[in-house]
Amino acid sequence: MSSTPQTPQPPTAQSANPALRPPQAPHPGDVDPAAFRAAMHQAADWVADYLEGVERYPVLPSMVPGDLRRALPPTPPQEREPLDEILADFERQIPPRTTHWNHPGFMAYFPVTGSGPGILAETLAAALNVNAMLWRTGPAQTELEEHACDWYRQMLGLPGDFCGHINDTASLSSLLALAAARERAPFELRRRGLAGRTDVPPLTVYCSDQAHSSIDKAMITLGLGLENLRRIESDGAFRLRVDRLAAALAADQAAGRYPLAIVATVGTTSTTSVDPLPEIAAIARRENLWLHVDGAYALAASICPEYRPLFAGIELADSIVTNPHKWLFVPVDCSLLFVREPALLRRAFSVIPDYLMTNEVGVTNLMDYGVQLGRRFRSLKLWMVLKAFGVSGLQARIRFQCGLARDFAAWIERQSHFELSAPVPFGTVCFRAVPPLPPEEQDAFNERLLALVNADGRVFISHTRLRGRYVLHLSVGNLRTTAAQLHTTQELLLAAHTLLRSEAGR
């Protein structure tokens, strides 16, 4: 005999298990509106004071790994804390232990600056808290992204058939570009993949020996493999050698490989050298290869007409990446990827489950253009920075910073104990001390020289290796850097050089 199914009964307030008791209403809202308003005013004052007086901090914090962790409670608070106390804790614990990228003495790597308009936009975007995965979930956010990207396209002088969207960094933008190149290959890779297949030859990608390491990571992530990345020798000015590129392509084709893409760089990470785009583009067109151009740092200079000839041939690319968070004073992170055929990105990445199906026609759904589903409202800070500075204001700052770099390079050339290590096309200077020592000891000398300069706290510069030698790397791109920081760097270099020479007894 079958029994009648029993309807489950909801737990009662007297349930012994706390997990089964009816939920109790928490404190209404998140914080008291008056307290939040007061905290926002306090935070605004702190930010304005910070930007105005960031030099009161050393660029690099004086701390050892684990300092912050040891200063914080090991367990989370059980009860809510007042916002003013949280802000006080922030000011006490975080800024003193921060590397200050907004400091005018920050001239390491490629400086990034969080400008006032961009910081304001970040606050507003956080308040809206939009996830613009679909046009429906972020209509204004989607359309502003398309519009701001097109503004920047016009500023760079790129043709109108390039469509742009925003990612977090150039590493992801380059990954997506190479994914589009992979999708274009005639092997049904989206559906069938690469694993276990014998009908797909090795897919090779070509770049210079100066190309960014993100290309290596893209090869790993896309399943193409590092042994299929061809790093082509660069010339005396650290530009990709076209003759070696052609030879590598011919050898791979003869060996049965499938050349997939070329990555050219305009503004390499170490020296900001510009690969010869017209010649590279001619090879890409002839061999039907995807041409991706990495302009993460230097392409911003193309908004100045006098720098645009350095980028001749970029209009022939299939995809281009440029980072407004590097040289346009947009807070991290904001990387633009321009592509000629956005349909290839959609083909590579579009996956639309039922719960994301919509009826809108002729709209852009940003989730279709990459691996991310969720998308922050990054375009607001780009739009507000472009409006607040204007094209002429941004041009003036790029020209000023390149001028500071040229002046510093000229100073290096006048010093008998220093030498330039690479040309200076933009705002970055590579140089090294040349004491009368064997090459390996010169490297150690320069490494100690860098440590002494950075230990002062007023400036921060970095290093790289060129032709196997240790080289100092100074990049002028911070919105607040003036000639004063360059003069300080010169004084520190001379003082450190004198100290090291005296210690060596030379």
Side-chain angles (χ1 to χ4, degrees):
M1 179 179 4
S2 62
S3 60
T4 304
Q6 299 298 309
T7 303
Q9 298 299 310
T12 67
Q14 289 74 36
S15 298
N17 186 348
L20 299 179
R21 293 174 184 166
Q24 300 298 310
H27 186 281
D30 52 3
V31 294
D32 175 71
F36 176 70
R37 187 180 300 275
M40 285 294 287
H41 283 295
Q42 186 179 345
D45 287 339
W46 188 91
V47 170
D49 291 343
Y50 172 73
L51 296 180
E52 186 177 17
V54 64
E55 289 178 89
R56 71 181 182 271
Y57 296 101
V59 188
L60 292 172
S62 178
M63 65 180 290
V64 297
D67 271 0
L68 178 62
R69 296 293 302 273
R70 286 185 287 270
L72 298 176
T75 58
Q78 286 298 315
E79 303 299 331
R80 54 195 295 146
E81 297 180 1
L83 290 179
D84 58 347
E85 291 184 14
I86 296 171
L87 287 173
D89 212 23
F90 160 80
E91 187 165 10
R92 181 169 55 252
Q93 302 287 10
I94 304 304
R97 296 182 172 95
T98 292
T99 297
H100 292 279
W101 287 69
N102 268 338
H103 196 293
F106 192 108
M107 294 177 284
Y109 314 115
F110 289 137
V112 299
T113 307
S115 63
I119 294 169
L120 179 62
E122 286 278 49
T123 303
L124 298 173
L128 292 174
N129 197 35
V130 169
N131 179 356
M133 53 186 178
L134 300 167
W135 180 90
R136 174 181 289 181
T137 65
Q141 290 70 26
T142 300
E143 294 187 16
L144 187 65
E145 182 161 330
E146 293 178 299
H147 203 74
C149 288
D150 194 65
W151 273 8
Y152 193 37
R153 176 198 63 78
Q154 296 175 50
M155 292 166 62
L156 295 172
L158 295 175
D161 57 348
F162 278 104
C163 296
H165 74 276
I166 301 177
N167 297 301
D168 52 5
T169 64
S171 295
L172 183 61
S173 290
S174 291
L175 170 70
L176 301 183
L178 290 178
R182 189 183 65 170
E183 180 62 25
R184 194 176 67 166
F187 301 113
E188 295 186 278
L189 294 177
R190 172 186 162 117
R191 184 174 68 87
R192 299 181 59 194
L194 286 167
R197 294 180 63 178
T198 59
D199 60 323
V200 179
L203 307 178
T204 53
V205 175
Y206 305 80
C207 64
S208 89
D209 55 17
Q210 301 297 307
H212 193 268
S213 59
S214 60
I215 306 306
D216 301 72
K217 288 189 175 184
M219 296 293 288
I220 297 168
T221 305
L222 293 171
L224 302 178
L226 286 176
E227 69 176 31
N228 295 314
L229 178 63
R230 300 288 183 262
R231 283 192 167 270
I232 307 299
E233 179 186 352
S234 55
D235 63 17
F238 303 99
R239 301 169 302 189
L240 184 149
R241 285 187 55 175
V242 176
D243 59 334
R244 297 297 174 88
L245 171 64
L249 274 166
D252 281 341
Q253 289 167 334
R257 294 175 173 270
Y258 186 93
L260 185 71
I262 304 172
V263 179
T265 309
V266 291
T268 55
T269 304
S270 289
T271 65
T272 68
S273 299
V274 176
D275 287 339
L277 290 179
E279 294 90 339
I280 294 171
I283 291 176
R285 290 289 177 90
R286 184 178 70 237
E287 303 295 338
N288 194 31
L289 273 67
W290 185 280
L291 175 57
H292 175 59
V293 176
D294 179 355
Y297 159 71
L299 187 56
S302 188
I303 71 172
C304 301
E306 66 272 25
Y307 284 103
R308 198 164 292 173
L310 292 175
F311 306 101
I314 197 168
E315 70 280 359
L316 303 174
D318 295 289
S319 57
I320 302 165
V321 59
T322 178
N323 288 1
H325 69 229
K326 278 195 169 70
W327 211 0
L328 279 195
F329 322 125
V330 175
V332 171
D333 49 18
C334 183
S335 175
L336 267 64
L337 176 63
F338 291 104
V339 293
R340 283 188 183 280
E341 297 181 67
L344 277 171
L345 283 177
R346 292 195 300 271
R347 231 169 67 188
F349 292 111
S350 182
V351 176
I352 308 175
D354 287 342
Y355 52 82
L356 293 178
M357 292 286 187
T358 65
N359 296 322
E360 289 85 13
V361 177
V363 300
T364 296
N365 293 320
L366 291 169
M367 69 175 191
D368 292 338
Y369 291 85
V371 295
Q372 304 148 299
L373 179 61
R375 298 189 62 86
R376 294 178 56 224
F377 187 11
R378 294 186 180 94
S379 59
L380 186 65
K381 56 189 173 183
L382 174 62
W383 181 68
M384 289 182 71
V385 166
L386 295 182
K387 286 171 66 66
F389 286 92
V391 176
S392 62
L394 295 169
Q395 290 170 333
R397 285 159 175 82
I398 286 176
R399 288 167 179 146
F400 174 71
Q401 292 167 349
C402 289
L404 289 179
R406 287 194 299 271
D407 289 347
F408 184 84
W411 179 84
I412 290 290
E413 290 185 303
R414 293 195 297 270
Q415 310 306 308
S416 60
H417 36 275
F418 287 96
E419 68 177 13
L420 285 179
S421 303
V424 185
F426 304 108
T428 298
V429 185
C430 294
F431 64 100
R432 67 195 308 263
V434 284
L437 298 168
E440 292 75 14
E441 293 182 39
Q442 281 190 356
D443 286 350
F445 185 98
N446 278 280
E447 190 169 359
R448 293 185 62 202
L449 182 73
L450 178 67
L452 286 172
V453 169
N454 287 339
D456 176 82
R458 288 178 288 172
V459 302
F460 176 33
I461 60 178
S462 53
H463 75 281
T464 187
R465 281 193 177 269
L466 297 175
R467 304 290 185 246
R469 297 273 67 88
Y470 193 95
V471 171
L472 306 189
H473 181 280
L474 178 147
S475 190
V476 185
N478 191 291
L479 179 60
R480 300 171 184 89
T481 300
T482 67
Q485 283 74 42
L486 278 300
H487 294 156
T488 297
T489 306
Q490 293 164 1
E491 293 170 357
L492 292 172
L493 285 167
L494 292 176
H497 188 278
T498 300
L499 176 62
L500 292 176
R501 289 291 302 272
S502 65
E503 288 179 354
R506 295 175 183 268

